[in-house]
Amino acid sequence: MKKYLYPALLVVFAGLAAAIFLFKKPDMRVPALMERNGDLAAGGEWLNTKAAIGGLQANLRSNPNDQKSRLLLAQAYMQEGRVTGNHPYYDGAAMGLLEEVLQADPENFEALCCKAALSLTQHHFAQGLGIAQQAQKINPSSGFVYGLLTDANVEMGHYDEAVKMADKMNTVRPDLPAYARISYLREIYGDVPGAIQAMDMATKAGFIGLEQTEWTRVGLGRLHEISGDTASAHGYYLMALAARPGYAYAIAGLGRIAAARKDYATAIKFHEQARATVKDYAFTDELTDLYRLNGQAEESKKMARESIAMLASAAEEADADEQMGHYADRELAYAYLKTNELDKALEHAKIEYDRRPDNIDVNETMAWVLYKRGNYAEAHKYMQVARRTGSKNPVLLGRAGFILTKMGKLAEGQALIENSLKTAAYLDPEIEAEGRKLLAAR
């Protein structure tokens, strides 16, 4: 009998296993929280973050249908991506969670807003605009959704519509995000003093030490840099560091102030510190220039190649996934200019232009790449579009001046170059060097 008993038991066991497999609840995978390193792991904020996220993860493991916890976890991961710079992991994790929420409730307003915000973070601007418009129809009284619509319209080059959305946001709920968007639009339209005023209001509306507040304070410092007031900029970066020790963007700000004083060794030290804390391409890009200015040609080349590798990887992910992956073609165009790969620079500038031909920054990129290739007439066409809002950014004015000079419009071009150098020559080492050389040769 025993020789027949074992096979029978195996059959019964297999049947039970199959039943469990077929009828058990699906195992909803909960994305893990990555450990922070260095300064980011110091202080109580990280302990509170881990505790909060751990609680949400536990809720989902015990109840996979807890959509509120799933949404809160997505929002927490979006913020963690912002704090650490690890957007590839956290943005992907957040998007996966949001898709699960929206599968259960396609008109979940908060989930749609978060998805729109993620799309904008990944530079999928047209997609972000469409999702934000969908959310607006569900809740037209939300200040947050008007902030998303402001950002998306700015990036698509729809500046008049962006102003309308920002005005609605400030009518619904004037707060830090609303004032910051007013500041950005004022800067776009050439009102730098007004932009500083609005960003100061934004900073004062926030809680000292929170990442969003200190990001805004660094933005206020950056506006002072653009206006030529490095002393005030330096003060705001120090304030941000005092409120949020180890804050990478404030550290990089101190690096730019050091570079403005031609103290490139100190500037490199600050940027390396920022880069070690947060994964942000901008730090590597700035180091490319700083090493070159400091006479370290090999390090400069290394940073340039690293910048391209970071951006190309993001671009490949975006090409493979229409929903996620960071579009980085505009940044790649500038990166390839630094390695003198002009064909690749033009290729990526055109890709970005095809996505959003009305955006002034994209038109500036096209103009500058064409200028570098010696196609001055074409460059001038794009630069005219880039300047249509009246922006007074010194880098934009300097580039426009070079193009006009090559077009034979010497007085107009030289006036723009002089304006650029007088306001903030330190913002772009190339414009400073070439501009002074050109003006000296008059």
Side-chain angles (χ1 to χ4, degrees), residues 392-426:
K392 292 184 173 58
N393 184 289
V395 175
L396 172 67
L397 296 184
R399 288 172 174 166
F402 285 143
I403 292 169
L404 285 168
T405 300
K406 292 293 186 180
M407 292 288 293
K409 301 181 179 182
L410 298 180
E412 187 180 355
Q414 288 171 353
L416 287 177
I417 295 167
E418 285 179 338
N419 189 325
S420 173
L421 297 182
K422 181 181 177 181
T423 304
Y426 47 80

Side-chain angles (χ1 to χ4, degrees), residues 206-330:
F207 291 97
I208 293 174
L210 288 183
E211 196 275 337
Q212 294 92 331
T213 305
E214 303 318 317
W215 170 270
T216 305
R217 201 183 311 278
V218 168
L220 179 56
R222 186 65 170 155
L223 283 170
H224 280 286
E225 277 190 67
I226 289 169
S227 66
D229 185 0
T230 55
S232 293
H234 185 251
Y236 285 116
Y237 298 144
L238 290 176
M239 288 172 64
L241 277 173
R244 192 174 180 84
Y247 191 44
Y249 296 99
I251 292 169
L254 293 179
R256 290 195 300 274
I257 299 302
R261 299 194 303 262
K262 313 294 186 187
D263 183 0
Y264 300 123
T266 299
I268 288 168
K269 178 182 175 183
F270 280 128
H271 275 82
E272 286 286 14
Q273 184 182 348
R275 181 168 166 266
T277 304
V278 172
K279 300 175 182 178
D280 192 320
Y281 145 79
F283 302 146
T284 306
D285 178 61
E286 288 183 274
L287 279 166
T288 301
D289 292 329
L290 291 171
Y291 277 121
R292 178 178 55 79
L293 292 166
N294 202 43
Q296 296 174 260
E298 288 305 314
E299 284 297 322
S300 178
K301 290 177 183 178
K302 178 183 174 183
M303 288 297 106
R305 288 297 171 192
E306 190 169 323
S307 293
I308 289 171
M310 291 171 68
L311 293 168
S313 175
E316 286 173 7
E317 289 177 9
D319 289 340
D321 186 345
E322 284 298 317
Q323 183 164 266
M324 289 296 292
H326 185 83
Y327 284 144
D329 292 287
R330 178 169 172 261

Side-chain angles (χ1 to χ4, degrees), residues 35-287:
E35 281 294 331
R36 292 187 188 178
N37 298 309
D39 290 335
L40 291 178
E45 182 188 270
W46 176 227
L47 295 176
N48 293 336
T49 297
K50 286 197 290 186
I53 287 177
L56 294 171
Q57 290 172 327
N59 291 347
L60 284 173
R61 291 190 184 101
S62 63
N63 179 13
N65 295 318
D66 183 354
Q67 302 302 342
K68 182 63 177 177
S69 290
R70 182 168 281 109
L71 177 61
L72 289 172
L73 184 59
Q75 292 170 339
Y77 280 164
M78 289 169 66
Q79 179 61 20
E80 196 63 15
R82 179 182 166 98
V83 169
T84 64
N86 190 2
H87 287 286
Y89 175 76
Y90 283 116
D91 287 1
M95 186 64 85
L97 292 164
L98 292 172
E99 289 294 356
E100 290 174 7
V101 173
L102 289 168
Q103 186 174 4
D105 179 9
E107 294 198 348
N108 187 301
F109 173 74
E110 288 184 80
L112 284 170
C113 285
C114 289
K115 185 175 179 180
L118 272 178
S119 296
L120 296 178
T121 298
Q122 295 289 318
H123 289 192
H124 292 230
F125 300 122
Q127 175 180 292
L129 177 59
I131 297 169
Q133 289 170 335
Q134 182 183 350
Q136 180 196 16
K137 292 176 183 177
I138 296 170
N139 182 4
S141 301
S142 165
F144 183 62
V145 77
Y146 287 115
L148 294 170
L149 288 167
T150 301
D151 296 342
N153 277 296
V154 164
E155 297 298 348
M156 294 303 294
H158 309 156
Y159 300 107
D160 290 343
E161 186 65 19
V163 170
K164 293 177 185 177
M165 296 299 103
D167 285 344
K168 285 188 177 182
M169 185 183 189
N170 276 271
T171 300
V172 172
R173 186 175 179 176
D175 56 6
L176 183 155
Y179 295 139
R181 284 170 171 89
I182 290 294
S183 173
Y184 187 40
L185 284 164
R186 286 178 177 176
E187 182 189 354
I188 286 171
Y189 280 97
D191 182 9
V192 177
I196 289 173
Q197 179 191 40
M199 195 66 83
D200 183 56
M201 292 171 66
T203 303
K204 290 173 179 174
F207 291 97
I208 293 174
L210 288 183
E211 196 275 337
Q212 294 92 331
T213 305
E214 303 318 317
W215 170 270
T216 305
R217 201 183 311 278
V218 168
L220 179 56
R222 186 65 170 155
L223 283 170
H224 280 286
E225 277 190 67
I226 289 169
S227 66
D229 185 0
T230 55
S232 293
H234 185 251
Y236 285 116
Y237 298 144
L238 290 176
M239 288 172 64
L241 277 173
R244 192 174 180 84
Y247 191 44
Y249 296 99
I251 292 169
L254 293 179
R256 290 195 300 274
I257 299 302
R261 299 194 303 262
K262 313 294 186 187
D263 183 0
Y264 300 123
T266 299
I268 288 168
K269 178 182 175 183
F270 280 128
H271 275 82
E272 286 286 14
Q273 184 182 348
R275 181 168 166 266
T277 304
V278 172
K279 300 175 182 178
D280 192 320
Y281 145 79
F283 302 146
T284 306
D285 178 61
E286 288 183 274
L287 279 166

